[in-house]
Amino acid sequence: MEKRLNGKRLSKASRSGFINYGIVIAAFVLIQILLVVQKLLGVTLVSNSLQSLLVPTCCYIVMAVSLNLTVGILGELSLGHAGFMSLGAFSGIVASFLLADVIPFAPLRLALSMIVGAVFGALGGVIVGVPVLRLQGDYLAIVTLAFGQIIKNIIMVLYVGVDEKGLHIAASSERFNLGPDGTTIIKGPMGAVGVTKLASFTAGFVLILITLVVVQNLVNSRSGRAIMALRDNRIAAESVGINTTKYKLMAFVTSAALAGAAGALFGLNYSSTVASKFDFNASILVLVFVVLGGLGSIRGSIIAAALLYVLPEQLRGLGIDDFRMLIYAIILILVMLVTNNDQLKALVGRIIPKRKGAASHG
């Protein structure tokens, strides 16, 4: 009986995972068809402004899914996710510049730069995670928030360049000396300028699929069940021999690595990138996507990130974008009121009946 129940549960999880893949693939194919038809017929089906949002939307979907691994699956509140994204963005930009002469093929250089971004994001996750994951609740949130601000401030004073002697890194313009043929990659407060744009919607689509493969397989694995056991009852999980530090760090570093890869793609989508793009508001924005999509719901993170990033940008002409964070804050308050009030929860349940037997981590 137990085997049949386990098999049934795994079957539901697999089916939910394939639905997530299907949603992403269908959206990608639909947009590609619209772009081809637009080119052939000369009609505007996908506006230029919407096309410019395709890559950032993919990045924020990856950010939301990866943060959901920490907040929804692991159950720890992290407010510095944009810090890992910034590590990936600037390390990916530097890697892309250094590989330009060695690897002229842009897609391969982009892939390697994203891998470098993921590595630096993972390193940041280890550096932060080893001491921080011993904390819980508000303490963890405060420390991760501080980490994000520290990374932003460090990058804002960082100067990186290359000349015939190799790579140069300095923390101030006075100590930053390049040869006559040297090139500056990162210029302190000005950020990275003159970046060769390599990012593409196809690369973003592939990164989303890779993220889904990594996160969904982790969640449905033995390690994922251990991570969720820690979330549900840490004391009970430790009593049966689950290594708290190991599994917390596994989820945290995986989340940070995916954020780093998304950051590299994001950074290589613009000709210039500044550290202020990855401030506290960016972390809160991604957290909003996770909360509104549903904690632990991968599909919800995908849909919420896509809608809540694209719609305000498209409605900017109406002045709504100026009030985006205010609207998000109000929605968050309403969500918290509903989820913590039994009467409101019952009312929402009657209006939107929950499908019987639905998977909790779709």
Side-chain angles (χ1 to χ4, degrees), residues 108-298:
L108 178 58
R109 192 161 79 251
L110 173 62
L112 292 176
S113 300
M114 290 166 63
I115 292 174
V116 171
V119 170
F120 273 83
L123 288 175
V126 172
I127 293 172
V128 177
V130 170
V132 167
L133 289 178
R134 300 179 185 275
L135 304 173
Q136 295 179 8
D138 297 339
Y139 299 103
L140 176 64
I142 292 171
V143 174
T144 53
L145 168 62
F147 164 75
Q149 294 301 106
I150 290 171
I151 290 297
K152 185 194 76 170
N153 291 329
I154 289 176
I155 294 176
M156 288 185 69
V157 300
L158 195 64
Y159 289 80
V160 179
V162 62
D163 59 14
E164 70 279 358
K165 295 181 180 180
L167 188 67
H168 295 261
I169 301 176
S172 65
S173 58
E174 291 79 9
R175 299 179 181 179
F176 186 65
N177 298 312
L178 292 179
D181 61 341
T183 303
T184 303
I185 306 173
I186 300 177
K187 297 182 178 181
M190 295 177 62
V193 295
V195 179
T196 301
K197 295 190 287 185
L198 301 177
S200 66
F201 180 45
T202 302
F205 163 71
V206 172
L207 181 59
I208 292 175
L209 290 183
I210 292 174
T211 300
L212 290 178
V213 169
V214 171
V215 173
Q216 291 182 161
N217 279 281
L218 176 60
V219 170
N220 297 322
S221 67
R222 181 178 179 181
S223 297
R225 290 190 289 273
I227 291 170
M228 288 184 283
L230 289 171
R231 175 198 63 191
D232 296 335
N233 194 318
R234 181 180 60 83
I235 296 176
E238 290 178 341
S239 68
V240 296
I242 294 178
N243 189 325
T244 302
T245 303
K246 172 185 174 182
Y247 289 108
K248 278 189 173 183
L249 194 62
M250 180 185 298
F252 197 73
V253 171
T254 302
S255 175
L258 293 172
L265 181 67
F266 186 87
L268 292 170
N269 187 55
Y270 300 99
S271 58
S272 63
T273 301
V274 294
S276 59
K277 286 186 178 180
F278 310 100
D279 59 4
F280 172 68
N281 287 331
S283 294
I284 294 300
L285 182 64
V286 179
L287 181 62
V288 168
F289 297 157
V290 173
V291 173
L292 296 185
L295 295 178
S297 174
I298 297 172

Side-chain angles (χ1 to χ4, degrees), residues 68-102:
N68 210 344
L69 180 59
T70 299
V71 178
I73 308 301
L74 178 60
E76 298 289 355
L77 181 59
S78 173
L79 297 180
H81 209 54
F84 302 122
M85 189 181 189
S86 65
L87 283 175
F90 288 96
S91 61
I93 289 172
V94 173
S96 173
F97 185 87
L98 296 178
L99 293 172
D101 295 332
V102 181

